[in-house]
Amino acid sequence: MASLFGDPPNPKPAPAKPLTDLDFRSGARIEEINQLIQEYEARDPGVRDAPELHRAKDKVFSLLGQVQKSEGKLPPINRYLILSGGAQRGTVHVDPGTLCPLSAGGDYDADFTLLVPVLSAAGVPVTLDMKQSPPGHAQISLQPFGPETLTRWADCCSGDEAHLSAELVCEWLSCSFPADEDVRVVRRGSVTSLIVRVGLRRVLYDILPVVAFKGWPEVAQSWLAQAHFWDGKMTDEEAAGSFYLIPSVSCGAWRLAFSASELHLRRILSPPLLRALRAAMAMLGCDLRGGLGPYHLFTLALWSCERLPSSYLGRDENAAHALLGLLDDLSAGLAHRRLPSYFLPQWNLLEGLARPALEGLAREVAWVRADPCRFLRRAVEGAKEAKRLAKAFRERVACSAVP
């Protein structure tokens, strides 16, 4: 029987397939973001395995030996810490805004960070004075090290308490390297950058003078007692066997650094998260204006491991979600004006930044977050250009070597 209202309705349609592969905020396809992250990784111009790298390391160590021979300030038996990647990659927490940019391909082909102890506090009854410095920073007196050390570093001390001056130590180190036609020395805030030319390669070493400690600082003991994502994956020595004081020229004090622990943490981070982290750094640039740097993103990556299961972070298809999540976390931190240090949660890494600066940074991050594919493509193009520049440099050197 015909309906008074026309033909009977069609059968109930099948439910629509949800578009789960879209980013709600930007509308970008998750699959495209993952593809761009993979393309950026494939285009990374960095050289990580070449004979020239070993020769460059030997050259840097030889120069440090000459510094010790001429100046006599460094410990006679020293233990350096080499980190893969330069300071612009977030290997250490340096003063943001003080690193005048050096470009991969244009200035160097491979980059490393080298921590050089100017003092070793092992066996020395040192008490860190953190009351007269910003959070996470300290002053260190040379008096417990004895009269010989006081005499050796007298020209780098300040105050009646014989505090070792971070600024003066950085200035001393940057001026102490002997002239060498194959080495370019650049002072960048607390970092002394050596660009060593070996054959057709240029290798960057970002060198920081540090004070080395064995054990773990009292101020971070409560953090160490808590449960963490790396429990069972690192030995006690790897997790908390040592720490450093690195110079902060912006506030004239020494900053607590846990670089040896971070070295081991990077090794257990899931590859998809590491790819997302590197992509985020490239999208935002090596050093945003106003006091934000790549180390802040690395800190957010560590915090993400505390709240998300490793099975989620370890899935390749979730690299895009990790990238977008890091940008969201950074935006939230800027909005709330708080980004806690991973090792000292009571230390706000955004401490001291004025509201206008934070608001400006938040706008920059929001701009990137609103169109992630655009900025990923820009990062890919930047990596391509770096490779082109590196190739052009090698060709010029090869041509100039032909008689």
mmCIF file with all atom_site columns, all heavy atoms in Angstrom, residues 93 95 129-131 133-139 248 251 253-256 347:
data_model
loop_
_atom_site.group_PDB
_atom_site.id
_atom_site.type_symbol
_atom_site.label_atom_id
_atom_site.label_alt_id
_atom_site.label_comp_id
_atom_site.label_asym_id
_atom_site.label_entity_id
_atom_site.label_seq_id
_atom_site.pdbx_PDB_ins_code
_atom_site.Cartn_x
_atom_site.Cartn_y
_atom_site.Cartn_z
_atom_site.occupancy
_atom_site.B_iso_or_equiv
_atom_site.pdbx_formal_charge
_atom_site.auth_seq_id
_atom_site.auth_comp_id
_atom_site.auth_asym_id
_atom_site.auth_atom_id
_atom_site.pdbx_PDB_model_num
ATOM 1   N N   . HIS A 1 93  ? 71.078 22.400 28.349 1.00 0.00 ? 93  HIS A N   1
ATOM 2   C CA  . HIS A 1 93  ? 70.228 23.554 28.620 1.00 0.00 ? 93  HIS A CA  1
ATOM 3   C C   . HIS A 1 93  ? 71.102 24.796 28.707 1.00 0.00 ? 93  HIS A C   1
ATOM 4   O O   . HIS A 1 93  ? 71.567 25.175 29.783 1.00 0.00 ? 93  HIS A O   1
ATOM 5   C CB  . HIS A 1 93  ? 69.470 23.336 29.939 1.00 0.00 ? 93  HIS A CB  1
ATOM 6   C CG  . HIS A 1 93  ? 68.519 24.443 30.260 1.00 0.00 ? 93  HIS A CG  1
ATOM 7   N ND1 . HIS A 1 93  ? 67.995 24.626 31.529 1.00 0.00 ? 93  HIS A ND1 1
ATOM 8   C CD2 . HIS A 1 93  ? 67.994 25.429 29.495 1.00 0.00 ? 93  HIS A CD2 1
ATOM 9   C CE1 . HIS A 1 93  ? 67.191 25.670 31.515 1.00 0.00 ? 93  HIS A CE1 1
ATOM 10  N NE2 . HIS A 1 93  ? 67.175 26.175 30.309 1.00 0.00 ? 93  HIS A NE2 1
ATOM 11  N N   . ASP A 1 95  ? 71.678 29.013 27.700 1.00 0.00 ? 95  ASP A N   1
ATOM 12  C CA  . ASP A 1 95  ? 70.849 30.209 27.732 1.00 0.00 ? 95  ASP A CA  1
ATOM 13  C C   . ASP A 1 95  ? 70.208 30.433 26.367 1.00 0.00 ? 95  ASP A C   1
ATOM 14  O O   . ASP A 1 95  ? 70.916 30.707 25.390 1.00 0.00 ? 95  ASP A O   1
ATOM 15  C CB  . ASP A 1 95  ? 71.692 31.439 28.098 1.00 0.00 ? 95  ASP A CB  1
ATOM 16  C CG  . ASP A 1 95  ? 72.342 31.305 29.463 1.00 0.00 ? 95  ASP A CG  1
ATOM 17  O OD1 . ASP A 1 95  ? 71.665 30.812 30.377 1.00 0.00 ? 95  ASP A OD1 1
ATOM 18  O OD2 . ASP A 1 95  ? 73.510 31.699 29.607 1.00 0.00 ? 95  ASP A OD2 1
ATOM 19  N N   . ASP A 1 129 ? 75.848 26.659 46.968 1.00 0.00 ? 129 ASP A N   1
ATOM 20  C CA  . ASP A 1 129 ? 75.100 27.809 47.477 1.00 0.00 ? 129 ASP A CA  1
ATOM 21  C C   . ASP A 1 129 ? 74.016 28.151 46.457 1.00 0.00 ? 129 ASP A C   1
ATOM 22  O O   . ASP A 1 129 ? 74.274 28.772 45.427 1.00 0.00 ? 129 ASP A O   1
ATOM 23  C CB  . ASP A 1 129 ? 76.044 28.995 47.667 1.00 0.00 ? 129 ASP A CB  1
ATOM 24  C CG  . ASP A 1 129 ? 75.328 30.233 48.180 1.00 0.00 ? 129 ASP A CG  1
ATOM 25  O OD1 . ASP A 1 129 ? 74.115 30.143 48.451 1.00 0.00 ? 129 ASP A OD1 1
ATOM 26  O OD2 . ASP A 1 129 ? 75.986 31.283 48.306 1.00 0.00 ? 129 ASP A OD2 1
ATOM 27  N N   . MET A 1 130 ? 72.765 27.717 46.740 1.00 0.00 ? 130 MET A N   1
ATOM 28  C CA  . MET A 1 130 ? 71.654 27.941 45.812 1.00 0.00 ? 130 MET A CA  1
ATOM 29  C C   . MET A 1 130 ? 70.730 29.053 46.286 1.00 0.00 ? 130 MET A C   1
ATOM 30  O O   . MET A 1 130 ? 69.734 29.358 45.617 1.00 0.00 ? 130 MET A O   1
ATOM 31  C CB  . MET A 1 130 ? 70.865 26.647 45.628 1.00 0.00 ? 130 MET A CB  1
ATOM 32  C CG  . MET A 1 130 ? 71.707 25.480 45.133 1.00 0.00 ? 130 MET A CG  1
ATOM 33  S SD  . MET A 1 130 ? 70.749 23.995 44.753 1.00 0.00 ? 130 MET A SD  1
ATOM 34  C CE  . MET A 1 130 ? 69.836 24.531 43.298 1.00 0.00 ? 130 MET A CE  1
ATOM 35  N N   . LYS A 1 131 ? 71.039 29.674 47.429 1.00 0.00 ? 131 LYS A N   1
ATOM 36  C CA  . LYS A 1 131 ? 70.157 30.696 47.991 1.00 0.00 ? 131 LYS A CA  1
ATOM 37  C C   . LYS A 1 131 ? 70.326 32.048 47.313 1.00 0.00 ? 131 LYS A C   1
ATOM 38  O O   . LYS A 1 131 ? 69.402 32.865 47.318 1.00 0.00 ? 131 LYS A O   1
ATOM 39  C CB  . LYS A 1 131 ? 70.417 30.839 49.492 1.00 0.00 ? 131 LYS A CB  1
ATOM 40  C CG  . LYS A 1 131 ? 70.074 29.584 50.299 1.00 0.00 ? 131 LYS A CG  1
ATOM 41  C CD  . LYS A 1 131 ? 70.350 29.790 51.777 1.00 0.00 ? 131 LYS A CD  1
ATOM 42  C CE  . LYS A 1 131 ? 70.007 28.537 52.578 1.00 0.00 ? 131 LYS A CE  1
ATOM 43  N NZ  . LYS A 1 131 ? 70.289 28.705 54.023 1.00 0.00 ? 131 LYS A NZ  1
ATOM 44  N N   . SER A 1 133 ? 71.061 32.519 44.079 1.00 0.00 ? 133 SER A N   1
ATOM 45  C CA  . SER A 1 133 ? 70.976 32.370 42.635 1.00 0.00 ? 133 SER A CA  1
ATOM 46  C C   . SER A 1 133 ? 69.539 32.055 42.233 1.00 0.00 ? 133 SER A C   1
ATOM 47  O O   . SER A 1 133 ? 68.723 31.656 43.072 1.00 0.00 ? 133 SER A O   1
ATOM 48  C CB  . SER A 1 133 ? 71.911 31.240 42.161 1.00 0.00 ? 133 SER A CB  1
ATOM 49  O OG  . SER A 1 133 ? 73.242 31.483 42.560 1.00 0.00 ? 133 SER A OG  1
ATOM 50  N N   . PRO A 1 134 ? 69.203 32.206 40.954 1.00 0.00 ? 134 PRO A N   1
ATOM 51  C CA  . PRO A 1 134 ? 67.863 31.834 40.489 1.00 0.00 ? 134 PRO A CA  1
ATOM 52  C C   . PRO A 1 134 ? 67.614 30.335 40.696 1.00 0.00 ? 134 PRO A C   1
ATOM 53  O O   . PRO A 1 134 ? 68.567 29.563 40.887 1.00 0.00 ? 134 PRO A O   1
ATOM 54  C CB  . PRO A 1 134 ? 67.903 32.191 38.997 1.00 0.00 ? 134 PRO A CB  1
ATOM 55  C CG  . PRO A 1 134 ? 69.019 33.176 38.850 1.00 0.00 ? 134 PRO A CG  1
ATOM 56  C CD  . PRO A 1 134 ? 70.020 32.804 39.890 1.00 0.00 ? 134 PRO A CD  1
ATOM 57  N N   . PRO A 1 135 ? 66.358 29.889 40.666 1.00 0.00 ? 135 PRO A N   1
ATOM 58  C CA  . PRO A 1 135 ? 66.060 28.455 40.835 1.00 0.00 ? 135 PRO A CA  1
ATOM 59  C C   . PRO A 1 135 ? 66.831 27.608 39.821 1.00 0.00 ? 135 PRO A C   1
ATOM 60  O O   . PRO A 1 135 ? 66.975 27.972 38.654 1.00 0.00 ? 135 PRO A O   1
ATOM 61  C CB  . PRO A 1 135 ? 64.551 28.380 40.571 1.00 0.00 ? 135 PRO A CB  1
ATOM 62  C CG  . PRO A 1 135 ? 64.041 29.739 40.908 1.00 0.00 ? 135 PRO A CG  1
ATOM 63  C CD  . PRO A 1 135 ? 65.132 30.693 40.524 1.00 0.00 ? 135 PRO A CD  1
ATOM 64  N N   . GLY A 1 136 ? 67.350 26.472 40.320 1.00 0.00 ? 136 GLY A N   1
ATOM 65  C CA  . GLY A 1 136 ? 68.102 25.572 39.454 1.00 0.00 ? 136 GLY A CA  1
ATOM 66  C C   . GLY A 1 136 ? 69.539 25.981 39.237 1.00 0.00 ? 136 GLY A C   1
ATOM 67  O O   . GLY A 1 136 ? 70.250 25.331 38.470 1.00 0.00 ? 136 GLY A O   1
ATOM 68  N N   . HIS A 1 137 ? 69.976 27.041 39.876 1.00 0.00 ? 137 HIS A N   1
ATOM 69  C CA  . HIS A 1 137 ? 71.328 27.555 39.710 1.00 0.00 ? 137 HIS A CA  1
ATOM 70  C C   . HIS A 1 137 ? 72.039 27.600 41.058 1.00 0.00 ? 137 HIS A C   1
ATOM 71  O O   . HIS A 1 137 ? 71.407 27.537 42.115 1.00 0.00 ? 137 HIS A O   1
ATOM 72  C CB  . HIS A 1 137 ? 71.318 28.946 39.081 1.00 0.00 ? 137 HIS A CB  1
ATOM 73  C CG  . HIS A 1 137 ? 70.767 28.985 37.696 1.00 0.00 ? 137 HIS A CG  1
ATOM 74  N ND1 . HIS A 1 137 ? 69.428 28.780 37.426 1.00 0.00 ? 137 HIS A ND1 1
ATOM 75  C CD2 . HIS A 1 137 ? 71.366 29.189 36.494 1.00 0.00 ? 137 HIS A CD2 1
ATOM 76  C CE1 . HIS A 1 137 ? 69.226 28.865 36.109 1.00 0.00 ? 137 HIS A CE1 1
ATOM 77  N NE2 . HIS A 1 137 ? 70.385 29.115 35.531 1.00 0.00 ? 137 HIS A NE2 1
ATOM 78  N N   . ALA A 1 138 ? 73.352 27.727 40.995 1.00 0.00 ? 138 ALA A N   1
ATOM 79  C CA  . ALA A 1 138 ? 74.133 27.742 42.226 1.00 0.00 ? 138 ALA A CA  1
ATOM 80  C C   . ALA A 1 138 ? 75.421 28.528 42.022 1.00 0.00 ? 138 ALA A C   1
ATOM 81  O O   . ALA A 1 138 ? 75.872 28.748 40.889 1.00 0.00 ? 138 ALA A O   1
ATOM 82  C CB  . ALA A 1 138 ? 74.469 26.314 42.669 1.00 0.00 ? 138 ALA A CB  1
ATOM 83  N N   . GLN A 1 139 ? 76.005 28.946 43.133 1.00 0.00 ? 139 GLN A N   1
ATOM 84  C CA  . GLN A 1 139 ? 77.356 29.482 43.167 1.00 0.00 ? 139 GLN A CA  1
ATOM 85  C C   . GLN A 1 139 ? 78.253 28.413 43.774 1.00 0.00 ? 139 GLN A C   1
ATOM 86  O O   . GLN A 1 139 ? 77.809 27.617 44.603 1.00 0.00 ? 139 GLN A O   1
ATOM 87  C CB  . GLN A 1 139 ? 77.412 30.754 44.018 1.00 0.00 ? 139 GLN A CB  1
ATOM 88  C CG  . GLN A 1 139 ? 76.535 31.894 43.536 1.00 0.00 ? 139 GLN A CG  1
ATOM 89  C CD  . GLN A 1 139 ? 77.096 32.602 42.329 1.00 0.00 ? 139 GLN A CD  1
ATOM 90  O OE1 . GLN A 1 139 ? 78.224 32.349 41.909 1.00 0.00 ? 139 GLN A OE1 1
ATOM 91  N NE2 . GLN A 1 139 ? 76.308 33.494 41.749 1.00 0.00 ? 139 GLN A NE2 1
ATOM 92  N N   . SER A 1 248 ? 75.954 29.629 33.119 1.00 0.00 ? 248 SER A N   1
ATOM 93  C CA  . SER A 1 248 ? 74.835 30.430 32.635 1.00 0.00 ? 248 SER A CA  1
ATOM 94  C C   . SER A 1 248 ? 75.289 31.882 32.665 1.00 0.00 ? 248 SER A C   1
ATOM 95  O O   . SER A 1 248 ? 75.285 32.514 33.722 1.00 0.00 ? 248 SER A O   1
ATOM 96  C CB  . SER A 1 248 ? 73.591 30.238 33.507 1.00 0.00 ? 248 SER A CB  1
ATOM 97  O OG  . SER A 1 248 ? 72.570 31.136 33.133 1.00 0.00 ? 248 SER A OG  1
ATOM 98  N N   . CYS A 1 251 ? 72.756 34.871 33.856 1.00 0.00 ? 251 CYS A N   1
ATOM 99  C CA  . CYS A 1 251 ? 72.513 35.241 35.259 1.00 0.00 ? 251 CYS A CA  1
ATOM 100 C C   . CYS A 1 251 ? 73.791 35.199 36.096 1.00 0.00 ? 251 CYS A C   1
ATOM 101 O O   . CYS A 1 251 ? 73.743 35.423 37.305 1.00 0.00 ? 251 CYS A O   1
ATOM 102 C CB  . CYS A 1 251 ? 71.455 34.322 35.871 1.00 0.00 ? 251 CYS A CB  1
ATOM 103 S SG  . CYS A 1 251 ? 71.989 32.614 36.096 1.00 0.00 ? 251 CYS A SG  1
ATOM 104 N N   . ALA A 1 253 ? 75.656 32.715 37.049 1.00 0.00 ? 253 ALA A N   1
ATOM 105 C CA  . ALA A 1 253 ? 75.755 31.603 37.993 1.00 0.00 ? 253 ALA A CA  1
ATOM 106 C C   . ALA A 1 253 ? 75.981 30.308 37.220 1.00 0.00 ? 253 ALA A C   1
ATOM 107 O O   . ALA A 1 253 ? 76.171 30.308 36.000 1.00 0.00 ? 253 ALA A O   1
ATOM 108 C CB  . ALA A 1 253 ? 74.482 31.515 38.846 1.00 0.00 ? 253 ALA A CB  1
ATOM 109 N N   . TRP A 1 254 ? 75.976 29.205 37.947 1.00 0.00 ? 254 TRP A N   1
ATOM 110 C CA  . TRP A 1 254 ? 76.145 27.888 37.344 1.00 0.00 ? 254 TRP A CA  1
ATOM 111 C C   . TRP A 1 254 ? 74.817 27.139 37.419 1.00 0.00 ? 254 TRP A C   1
ATOM 112 O O   . TRP A 1 254 ? 74.159 27.135 38.449 1.00 0.00 ? 254 TRP A O   1
ATOM 113 C CB  . TRP A 1 254 ? 77.236 27.103 38.068 1.00 0.00 ? 254 TRP A CB  1
ATOM 114 C CG  . TRP A 1 254 ? 78.598 27.722 37.939 1.00 0.00 ? 254 TRP A CG  1
ATOM 115 C CD1 . TRP A 1 254 ? 79.123 28.717 38.714 1.00 0.00 ? 254 TRP A CD1 1
ATOM 116 C CD2 . TRP A 1 254 ? 79.587 27.395 36.974 1.00 0.00 ? 254 TRP A CD2 1
ATOM 117 N NE1 . TRP A 1 254 ? 80.383 29.029 38.288 1.00 0.00 ? 254 TRP A NE1 1
ATOM 118 C CE2 . TRP A 1 254 ? 80.708 28.234 37.227 1.00 0.00 ? 254 TRP A CE2 1
ATOM 119 C CE3 . TRP A 1 254 ? 79.662 26.475 35.925 1.00 0.00 ? 254 TRP A CE3 1
ATOM 120 C CZ2 . TRP A 1 254 ? 81.866 28.179 36.453 1.00 0.00 ? 254 TRP A CZ2 1
ATOM 121 C CZ3 . TRP A 1 254 ? 80.808 26.414 35.151 1.00 0.00 ? 254 TRP A CZ3 1
ATOM 122 C CH2 . TRP A 1 254 ? 81.902 27.258 35.421 1.00 0.00 ? 254 TRP A CH2 1
ATOM 123 N N   . ARG A 1 255 ? 74.447 26.508 36.321 1.00 0.00 ? 255 ARG A N   1
ATOM 124 C CA  . ARG A 1 255 ? 73.157 25.821 36.224 1.00 0.00 ? 255 ARG A CA  1
ATOM 125 C C   . ARG A 1 255 ? 73.347 24.328 36.463 1.00 0.00 ? 255 ARG A C   1
ATOM 126 O O   . ARG A 1 255 ? 74.262 23.701 35.911 1.00 0.00 ? 255 ARG A O   1
ATOM 127 C CB  . ARG A 1 255 ? 72.550 26.059 34.838 1.00 0.00 ? 255 ARG A CB  1
ATOM 128 C CG  . ARG A 1 255 ? 71.231 25.363 34.600 1.00 0.00 ? 255 ARG A CG  1
ATOM 129 C CD  . ARG A 1 255 ? 70.711 25.636 33.196 1.00 0.00 ? 255 ARG A CD  1
ATOM 130 N NE  . ARG A 1 255 ? 70.309 27.032 33.040 1.00 0.00 ? 255 ARG A NE  1
ATOM 131 C CZ  . ARG A 1 255 ? 70.768 27.841 32.089 1.00 0.00 ? 255 ARG A CZ  1
ATOM 132 N NH1 . ARG A 1 255 ? 71.662 27.399 31.225 1.00 0.00 ? 255 ARG A NH1 1
ATOM 133 N NH2 . ARG A 1 255 ? 70.340 29.090 32.006 1.00 0.00 ? 255 ARG A NH2 1
ATOM 134 N N   . LEU A 1 256 ? 72.472 23.743 37.288 1.00 0.00 ? 256 LEU A N   1
ATOM 135 C CA  . LEU A 1 256 ? 72.506 22.295 37.486 1.00 0.00 ? 256 LEU A CA  1
ATOM 136 C C   . LEU A 1 256 ? 72.172 21.592 36.181 1.00 0.00 ? 256 LEU A C   1
ATOM 137 O O   . LEU A 1 256 ? 71.224 21.960 35.479 1.00 0.00 ? 256 LEU A O   1
ATOM 138 C CB  . LEU A 1 256 ? 71.492 21.894 38.551 1.00 0.00 ? 256 LEU A CB  1
ATOM 139 C CG  . LEU A 1 256 ? 71.908 22.121 40.004 1.00 0.00 ? 256 LEU A CG  1
ATOM 140 C CD1 . LEU A 1 256 ? 70.711 21.974 40.920 1.00 0.00 ? 256 LEU A CD1 1
ATOM 141 C CD2 . LEU A 1 256 ? 72.996 21.147 40.411 1.00 0.00 ? 256 LEU A CD2 1
ATOM 142 N N   . TRP A 1 347 ? 61.562 23.463 39.836 1.00 0.00 ? 347 TRP A N   1
ATOM 143 C CA  . TRP A 1 347 ? 62.250 24.482 39.042 1.00 0.00 ? 347 TRP A CA  1
ATOM 144 C C   . TRP A 1 347 ? 61.470 24.714 37.754 1.00 0.00 ? 347 TRP A C   1
ATOM 145 O O   . TRP A 1 347 ? 61.370 23.824 36.910 1.00 0.00 ? 347 TRP A O   1
ATOM 146 C CB  . TRP A 1 347 ? 63.680 24.031 38.766 1.00 0.00 ? 347 TRP A CB  1
ATOM 147 C CG  . TRP A 1 347 ? 64.456 24.900 37.817 1.00 0.00 ? 347 TRP A CG  1
ATOM 148 C CD1 . TRP A 1 347 ? 64.200 26.195 37.474 1.00 0.00 ? 347 TRP A CD1 1
ATOM 149 C CD2 . TRP A 1 347 ? 65.630 24.517 37.097 1.00 0.00 ? 347 TRP A CD2 1
ATOM 150 N NE1 . TRP A 1 347 ? 65.125 26.650 36.582 1.00 0.00 ? 347 TRP A NE1 1
ATOM 151 C CE2 . TRP A 1 347 ? 66.026 25.642 36.327 1.00 0.00 ? 347 TRP A CE2 1
ATOM 152 C CE3 . TRP A 1 347 ? 66.387 23.353 37.030 1.00 0.00 ? 347 TRP A CE3 1
ATOM 153 C CZ2 . TRP A 1 347 ? 67.146 25.610 35.498 1.00 0.00 ? 347 TRP A CZ2 1
ATOM 154 C CZ3 . TRP A 1 347 ? 67.497 23.321 36.201 1.00 0.00 ? 347 TRP A CZ3 1
ATOM 155 C CH2 . TRP A 1 347 ? 67.872 24.442 35.454 1.00 0.00 ? 347 TRP A CH2 1
#
